Amino acid sequence: MNRRGIFAGLILLGIVACSPPDDPVPTPGTPLLVREPANFPPLPSPSDNPATTAGVKLGRQLFYDPQLSGNGKVSCASCHDPAKAFSDGVRVSALGVSGRALLRHSPVLMNLAWATNGLFWDGGSKNLESQVLGPLTNRDEMGHDLVILANYLKTVPVYKAQFEQAFPGEALHYATIAKALAQFQRTLISADSRYDQWVRQEGGVLSDEEQRGHKLYQQHCAGCHATDLFTNNQYHNNGIDVVFSDEGDGEGLGRERVTFDPADRGKYRTPTLRNVALTAPYMHDGRMDTLEDVLDHYSDRIKTSPTLDARLPAGGFRLATTDKKALLAFLNTLTDHQFVTNRAYRP
């Protein structure tokens, strides 16, 4: 194993992630040591919210606390279960404070430190710090008033002390709440699947069929699901619709809802393929129940519209049954069991 591979293993085992809740109080301002996986692009680090041990520990506690919701019953983890690679397993969640179904499928949370081109399915937030404010305030999700929430946390002695440790000299404010949650989410790094062990030459083995699936992935999928992050963090129309509704808040318009550019109509952020076997259902609205459904779409059901991604042929790639089987076998090698069981990511 090379040195960077060892470092990757350390973070995925939680050694350099965040401390368990019963660990000694971290020293204020202690930088969190995050070492990038050897097969990943360089790790971005925001200068305005560098991760610290105290900040990540606070963010983790906030992530699992239902008191962050208006009714005291909904936490971030309600829709982002670590056992499901921080997805929720349903097409559209109705677990929010209103009980109404959301309009989009809950996206997975992993490797978000590399997501520097917007978040949400349409890129409606610039970074993790702004992203977390959406679910906190959305009337159908956590439905809280940010000022009331900050004032409440000031009355909780444990939180008051933790905020002082994590952000010395800063007021307990919705901005510091967002900073703490963002710091924790940036530690959710998945990079220890069997594929990773194979590509880093750390003892992982892929069968002949899985390696054939990898070649098919490189041929048909890697344009959008790029690098070993398995996403290019860009926005694409992948041919699942020909009509894009502007009803309601315009969620059906995709990226156009944010940019107001008709060239972005029907484009959504490319999700990662990592842990994809654990994160059904699929697409921005959860319409596809299985990976077999997804492969059938790309094989034979791609619909043509003016903004269809140029990489996609009208109708589909016409994959043979054996091709689909090999691709499915490869996709299953991207499951990272260390990630979904990592103690450092749980309450």
Side-chain angles (χ1 to χ4, degrees), residues 11 42 51 67 85 87 103 146 158 167 179 187 231 240 255 259 274 282 299 308 316 319 334:
I11 185 169
Q67 293 303 317
S87 64
L103 297 175
L146 294 175
V158 171
F167 303 104
K179 281 184 176 182
T187 70
T231 174
I240 60 175
R255 179 73 169 152
T259 65
R274 286 188 167 274
Y282 306 102
S299 176
L308 178 68
L319 300 171
L334 302 179

Side-chain angles (χ1 to χ4, degrees), residues 48-324:
D48 56 349
N49 188 25
T52 66
T53 53
V56 170
K57 182 175 181 178
L58 170 60
R60 181 178 61 177
Q61 184 164 336
L62 291 168
F63 187 88
Y64 288 98
D65 190 345
Q67 293 303 317
L68 266 64
S69 65
N71 65 0
K73 297 179 180 179
V74 182
S75 71
C76 301
S78 296
C79 292
H80 299 286
D81 180 354
K84 295 183 176 69
F86 291 91
S87 64
D88 64 1
V90 297
R91 290 193 177 191
V92 288
S93 176
L95 295 176
V97 296
S98 72
R100 290 189 290 265
L102 304 180
L103 297 175
R104 290 181 180 167
H105 179 57
S106 297
V108 298
L109 304 180
M110 70 185 81
N111 300 333
L112 296 178
W114 285 267
T116 57
N117 190 39
L119 294 154
F120 294 127
W121 283 103
D122 57 16
S125 69
K126 180 180 179 181
N127 52 35
L128 278 169
E129 285 77 9
S130 61
Q131 179 271 331
V132 300
L133 300 178
L136 285 173
T137 59
N138 186 288
R139 63 184 181 182
D140 293 326
E141 295 183 58
M142 299 175 77
H144 216 320
D145 180 282
L146 294 175
V147 174
I148 294 174
L149 173 59
N151 287 336
Y152 161 72
L153 293 176
K154 291 174 185 176
T155 69
V156 181
V158 171
Y159 270 131
K160 188 172 183 294
Q162 285 184 297
F163 273 94
E164 290 172 355
Q165 292 156 12
F167 303 104
E170 297 187 51
L172 199 171
H173 184 265
Y174 65 77
T176 46
I177 297 171
K179 281 184 176 182
L181 284 166
Q183 285 190 33
F184 169 63
Q185 289 182 78
R186 287 193 179 100
T187 70
L188 303 179
I189 296 177
S190 177
D192 200 28
S193 66
R194 185 155 52 89
Y195 164 80
D196 294 299
Q197 295 163 5
W198 174 70
V199 79
R200 293 196 298 252
Q201 299 181 355
E202 297 171 0
V205 176
L206 266 60
S207 69
D208 290 345
E209 182 177 54
E210 290 164 345
Q211 291 189 47
R212 181 170 176 269
H214 179 238
K215 290 179 181 177
L216 287 165
Y217 148 79
Q218 290 178 311
Q219 180 181 353
H220 297 305
C221 315
C224 297
H225 297 281
T227 76
D228 278 358
L229 293 172
F230 290 92
T231 174
N232 60 4
N233 289 311
Q234 300 293 326
Y235 302 85
H236 303 281
N237 175 350
N238 66 342
I240 60 175
D241 289 312
V242 294
V243 176
F244 308 99
S245 172
D246 61 357
E247 294 181 0
D249 290 332
E251 283 84 354
L253 296 175
R255 179 73 169 152
E256 184 187 6
R257 177 175 177 260
V258 176
T259 65
F260 301 103
D261 184 350
D264 286 332
R265 186 165 298 170
K267 294 182 179 181
Y268 294 91
R269 185 170 176 268
T270 302
T272 181
L273 295 179
R274 286 188 167 274
N275 296 298
V276 71
L278 305 178
T279 58
Y282 306 102
M283 304 299 164
H284 69 277
D285 54 5
R287 72 178 67 181
M288 296 185 188
D289 292 328
T290 67
L291 283 174
E292 288 83 359
D293 293 335
V294 174
L295 293 176
D296 286 346
H297 164 72
Y298 286 111
S299 176
D300 304 299
R301 300 173 187 170
I302 293 175
K303 300 175 182 177
T304 302
S305 65
T307 60
L308 178 68
D309 193 274
R311 300 173 183 85
L312 301 178
F317 290 108
R318 309 303 181 191
L319 300 171
T321 299
T322 53
D323 292 339
K324 295 179 189 177

